[in-house]
Amino acid sequence: AQSVTQLGSHVSVSEGALVLLRCNYSSSVPPYLFWYVQYPNQGLQLLLKYTSAATLVKGINGFEAEFKKSETSFHLTKPSAHMSDAAEYFCAVSDQNDKLIFGTGTRLQVFP
Amino acid sequence: DTAVSQTPKYLVTQMGNDKSIKCEQNLGHDTMYWYKQDSKKFLKIMFSYNNKELIINETVPNRFSPKSPDKAHLNLHINSLELGDSAVYFCASSQEGQLQYSPLHFGNGTRLTVT
């Protein structure tokens, strides 16, 4: 069965600093991996996805993630944090039944 | 235009009541879902429907009954509400069997509070 683990329920960075949100996956088949963002009182919005093409995936708002099979990781990064990046971020894996399984989320806080 | 819309946005009710949440999508997708997000932000799938047929039914109490009158609508009816049902319920849609090409589109959620 597929699963994802997000290390760190809270991450705090200063504006302009590097953002790194960690996600490790477990999958018996080649996975499809996703990062979603949830702003307060809103639904989830897709940031980026990995579907077995390029291992470095670029998404919206300057975010990117790298699929590393050897480390079973799909960490999300952004070179320079902006105040508007403050939100909850979810890593997810798609199973064979086309069902998304989410991690427990990481809250990103950005300080001025 | 809102792609996935759900109503109401907030729902406060007492234990034992029956309530419904409505969801509509205008994306032309074949598959619709209900997810539950608990107080710790954990998201778990409840149901999915493809073209009005139930595809995924997780271990959800049978007090929860989804209804899909057509492929653009998926409503959630909850009988005999309990305190533990308090959560945010998200509707979502995608193209069938193609999450890698057509990722989930979420509504803005319905915050259900049972008192």
Side-chain angles (χ1 to χ4, degrees), chain B residues 33-111:
Chain B
Y33 308 78
W34 278 108
Y35 277 82
K36 179 181 180 180
Q37 186 174 46
D38 64 23
S39 58
K40 295 184 179 178
K41 298 283 188 179
F42 182 61
L43 267 163
K44 193 171 189 313
I45 190 168
M46 300 174 69
F47 304 101
S48 80
Y49 267 72
N50 174 260
N51 221 357
K52 303 195 295 177
E53 287 192 31
L54 182 65
I55 302 298
I56 295 173
N57 184 354
E58 294 294 290
T59 49
V60 176
N62 57 16
R63 297 182 295 104
F64 290 79
S65 53
K67 295 253 185 331
S68 183
D70 55 61
K71 74 173 192 176
H73 295 82
L74 180 62
N75 304 322
L76 183 64
H77 189 75
I78 316 170
N79 289 327
S80 303
L81 279 155
E82 300 177 357
L83 291 176
D85 298 332
S86 296
V88 181
Y89 292 85
F90 286 100
C91 179
S93 72
S94 73
Q95 204 57 29
E96 180 206 1
Q98 297 184 43
L99 273 181
Q100 67 273 31
Y101 303 118
S102 172
L104 290 185
H105 290 256
F106 283 84
N108 285 337
T110 295
R111 183 175 295 275

Side-chain angles (χ1 to χ4, degrees), chain A residues 32 34 36 38 41-46 49 51 88 90 94 97-104 107, chain B residues 9 33 35 37 40-43 45 56 58 90 96-101 103-104 106-108 111:
Chain A
Y32 298 130
F34 306 80
Y36 278 83
Q38 184 180 26
N41 299 315
Q42 292 187 27
L44 280 74
Q45 178 184 352
L46 180 69
K49 60 180 179 179
T51 58
E88 192 89 23
F90 292 91
S94 173
N97 294 319
D98 212 38
K99 184 172 70 178
L100 263 193
I101 297 163
F102 287 91
T104 49
R107 172 159 292 183
Chain B
K9 188 174 175 65
Y33 308 78
Y35 277 82
Q37 186 174 46
K40 295 184 179 178
K41 298 283 188 179
F42 182 61
L43 267 163
I45 190 168
I56 295 173
E58 294 294 290
F90 286 100
E96 180 206 1
Q98 297 184 43
L99 273 181
Q100 67 273 31
Y101 303 118
L104 290 185
F106 283 84
N108 285 337
R111 183 175 295 275

